[in-house]
């Protein structure tokens, strides 16, 4: 089993490349959600309203709205119509990120077990991991573009491939 999880194994290299891409995509969606929150002035909680003020301190730019209280300027952290709690673009990014957070860890675990236990050929690993990466990428694009049934079909394709890896791993163990 130890030889299976080395870079000399082409199936493991395919897994490692796929895993790296999926994790980078998931982390990118999280960062994109934060940027969209700042861009649209949308904050989930009142204390998040301080982020533009912190950016203002770090960059010298005026990110945060300021109000004057008794002759002193203060950062305005009240949530108003302009500082809403929800925004459609933010919610779609959050949804895509949340779906990745729900699914990618399982794919990573099952994928590593698949390579270690089932020992797929390089071609089989390329087919399975390529399909999973393509499905997860299409799911994200479908989510952000509001495209059904693309999103649903891509999700089901990724689930089917993950279940196939799990079944082949279980079969190799029995």
């Amino acid at each position: 089993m130890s030889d299976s999880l080395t870079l000399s194994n082409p199936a493991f290299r395919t897994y490692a490349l796929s895993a790296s891409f999926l994790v980078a995509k998931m982390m990118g969606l999280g960062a994109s959600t934060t940027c969209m929150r700042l861009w649209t002035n949308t904050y989930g909680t009142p204390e998040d309203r301080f982020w533009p003020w912190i950016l203002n301190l770090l960059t010298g730019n005026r990110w945060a709205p300021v109000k004057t209280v008794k002759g002193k300027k203060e950062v305005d952290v009240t949530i108003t119509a302009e500082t809403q709690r929800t925004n459609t673009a933010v919610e779609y990014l959050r949804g895509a990120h949340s779906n990745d957070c729900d699914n990618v860890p399982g794919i990573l675990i099952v994928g590593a077990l698949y390579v270690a236990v089932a020992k797929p050929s390089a071609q089989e690993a390329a087919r399975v991991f390529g399909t999973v990466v393509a499905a997860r990428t299409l799911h994200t694009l479908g989510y952000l573009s509001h495209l059904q049934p693309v999103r649903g079909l891509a999700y089901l394709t990724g689930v089917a491939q993950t279940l196939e890896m799990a079944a082949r791993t279980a079969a190799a163990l029995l």
Side-chain angles (χ1 to χ4, degrees):
M1 183 188 328
S2 63
D3 291 343
S4 299
L5 299 179
T6 64
L7 290 177
S8 62
N9 178 359
F12 179 72
R13 290 194 348 221
T14 302
Y15 163 76
L17 181 63
S18 300
S20 298
F21 177 82
L22 290 173
V23 169
K25 181 175 76 68
M26 183 173 64
M27 301 299 287
L29 284 170
S32 297
T33 302
T34 300
C35 289
M36 185 60 73
R37 281 188 179 284
L38 292 170
W39 184 264
T40 60
N41 209 22
T42 305
Y43 304 97
T45 61
E47 61 270 14
D48 290 346
R49 192 79 179 92
F50 281 103
W51 279 109
W53 182 73
I54 292 168
L55 289 173
N56 185 28
L57 287 176
L58 295 174
T59 64
N61 294 329
R62 188 180 181 282
W63 286 73
V66 176
K67 65 181 178 182
T68 304
V69 177
K70 296 182 183 177
K72 289 178 65 178
K73 289 189 176 185
E74 295 180 0
V75 174
D76 186 2
V77 294
T78 57
I79 293 182
T80 65
E82 295 153 3
T83 58
Q84 55 200 353
R85 292 183 69 111
T86 60
N87 174 281
T88 304
V90 170
E91 292 306 311
Y92 275 98
L93 277 166
R94 278 188 48 200
H97 181 246
S98 176
N99 192 277
D100 267 4
C101 289
D102 290 343
N103 289 279
V104 170
I107 292 167
L108 299 179
I109 292 166
V110 170
L113 291 171
Y114 173 66
V115 170
V117 176
K119 298 182 180 7
S121 67
Q123 293 79 17
E124 182 67 14
R127 180 191 66 77
V128 169
F129 292 121
T131 302
V132 168
V133 167
R136 291 305 308 165
T137 302
L138 275 174
H139 177 269
T140 298
L141 294 174
Y143 209 122
L144 299 179
S145 302
H146 316 261
L147 294 176
Q148 280 290 18
V150 171
R151 185 174 107 204
L153 292 172
Y155 173 80
L156 291 174
T157 301
V159 168
Q161 286 297 277
T162 304
L163 291 175
E164 178 188 343
M165 289 188 289
R168 289 179 184 237
T169 301
L173 290 170
L174 299 176

